[in-house]
Amino acid sequence: MADLSAFPIATRWPAKHPDQIQLYSFPTPNGVKVSIALEEIGLPYEPHAVNIGKDESWTPEFLSLNPNGKIPAIIDPNGPDGKPIGLFESGAILLYLAEKTGLLLPADAARRYETIQWVFFQMASVGPMFGQLGFFHKFAGREIADKRPLERYRDESRRLLGVLDGRLKGRKWIMGNDYTIADISLLGWVRNLIGFYEARDLVGFDDFANVAAWLERGLARPAVQKGLTIPARG
């Protein structure tokens, strides 16, 4: 049986199955990426709900694994060379899981790097921009009288949707016929933009037919449907 005693996070969220991947997350666009990937790959894992509404990601135990204080994070008891490894940042975790299993990432080197660039596109652009748009459109930022920040993030979100729409023209998935970690990294954010953030009309989402069709295909995948609700909010 794996020994996770070196990880303080395991004292606050004890493992019932320490030989499985331990997932510390919450069902947000960043959180569900890893749940979806694990469901797609089929690796056994144990999810632990880190309730960001209760600031649990800022507890010392969580910060000991992810000093950035954001979900998700994982411990793989069977990491490189058979040793446990803890990881944070969803893009890095997606890449790790793909390389660990040889799934969701093309074997061809050029296509592999092309896939990774679209994961970075989500991490550096889509996630931050859509998140800020949500703040100014749905959350506390909507009370700000000056609407220039909202307009800035609306316009940038539309630009990013246009980039994604252009990429998906004539393609089933980001990498053509291959469903990859690039799709997983983006699906939750686009879903949130038009659903939870209620910004469909604001960004003119229906102008981006390729994105809409891709989102529908992605959400129809059983692993995506299951992963979107893991860990349970309780």
Side-chain angles (χ1 to χ4, degrees), residues 32-33 36-37 40 94 104 179-188:
V32 300
K33 293 181 215 169
I36 292 170
E40 293 280 7
L94 288 181
L104 303 175
Y179 175 82
T180 67
I181 56 174
D183 299 287
I184 293 173
S185 73
L186 284 156
L187 279 167

Side-chain angles (χ1 to χ4, degrees), residues 18-40:
D19 292 325
Q20 297 181 4
I21 289 175
Q22 303 294 302
L23 169 63
Y24 308 92
S25 191
F26 203 63
T28 70
N30 277 335
V32 300
K33 293 181 215 169
V34 177
S35 301
I36 292 170
L38 287 165
E39 288 294 326
E40 293 280 7

Side-chain angles (χ1 to χ4, degrees), residues 21-92:
I21 289 175
Q22 303 294 302
L23 169 63
Y24 308 92
S25 191
F26 203 63
T28 70
N30 277 335
V32 300
K33 293 181 215 169
V34 177
S35 301
I36 292 170
L38 287 165
E39 288 294 326
E40 293 280 7
I41 289 169
L43 283 173
Y45 68 102
E46 181 178 358
H48 304 275
V50 178
N51 193 323
I52 59 175
K54 298 179 180 178
D55 289 334
E56 289 185 344
S57 65
W58 301 108
T59 58
E61 294 87 353
F62 187 82
L63 290 171
S64 69
L65 180 57
N66 182 357
N68 194 33
K70 304 291 184 180
I71 51 96
I74 68 167
I75 297 172
D76 183 357
N78 186 28
D81 300 321
K83 299 177 181 178
I85 184 173
L87 292 171
F88 68 94
E89 295 299 339
S90 58

Side-chain angles (χ1 to χ4, degrees), residues 121-135:
F121 170 72
Q122 181 275 302
M123 295 171 63
S125 299
V126 168
M129 289 300 118
F130 286 12
Q132 288 298 315
L133 180 67
F135 173 77

